[in-house]
Amino acid sequence: MTIRPDDQRRLEELDASAGSALREAFASGASPDLALLAEALAGVALPPEQALERLPGEWSCRMMKLGNGVPLVVYQSFSCVVTEDGGFEKLTGSQRSKGHLHRDDGRLVYLGTGFIAGDTPPLYAELPDEISPQDMPQRVPEVGVVEITGPDRGRILFPDPYLESRMNLLALQR
């Protein structure tokens, strides 16, 4: 799958996005939320081949939004699923995502479409060249680095998302 140039830029700037967002979160975030964030960030990512073996199935996923004026927002747990062929979908909540995982430069990358519940999103490759988050229906490209840190734990790091934050972290747990 071809990655959009702006999404490639966002991936390249992951460390800058994360650093800025984490500084803001740890400077002003609530202690219970910071504990959940620290737990989600703990652990070394498995190599992509091992991660791909552990990904298929149902996951509990918790979205955390960091930075850009709101230090840290931790949402309730949602339902997510990864299919055998690398498909990913966030199934519950008002903000959804659907796309695919693939290997890219020695890591796993998620390319998908963010959309509002009730909409039928286009595939990532079918999104228009110009994106405006204010357009309705709201559909935005989502790009993230997927890291599995154990048999039942992982995360997806979304640098510089189109909406609301400097970085999103989707904590995965079974």
Side-chain angles (χ1 to χ4, degrees), residues 46-58:
L46 296 173
E49 299 75 33
Q50 290 178 28
L52 283 170
E53 291 173 5
R54 296 179 182 194
L55 272 163
E58 296 179 3

Side-chain angles (χ1 to χ4, degrees), residues 25-26 29-42 64 72 74 153:
F26 280 101
S31 292
D33 290 345
L34 290 170
L36 291 169
L37 175 61
E39 182 181 340
L41 288 169
M64 301 179 190
L72 176 60
V74 177
R153 302 185 62 76

Side-chain angles (χ1 to χ4, degrees), residues 63 80 88-92 95-99 110-116 121 140 142 158 170:
M63 181 61 76
C80 293
F88 173 86
E89 187 169 3
K90 182 175 174 281
L91 300 167
T92 57
Q95 294 180 344
R96 308 276 178 98
S97 188
K98 185 174 184 175
Y110 171 69
L111 297 176
T113 302
F115 62 101
I116 302 298
V140 296
E142 295 193 324
F158 296 91
L170 188 64

Side-chain angles (χ1 to χ4, degrees), residues 5-56:
D6 188 55
D7 293 340
Q8 183 63 45
R9 175 200 57 81
R10 293 192 293 160
L11 281 177
E12 291 168 1
E13 296 175 1
L14 172 64
D15 288 340
S17 294
S20 169
L22 288 167
R23 285 182 59 182
E24 195 171 337
F26 280 101
S28 303
S31 292
D33 290 345
L34 290 170
L36 291 169
L37 175 61
E39 182 181 340
L41 288 169
V44 176
L46 296 173
E49 299 75 33
Q50 290 178 28
L52 283 170
E53 291 173 5
R54 296 179 182 194
L55 272 163

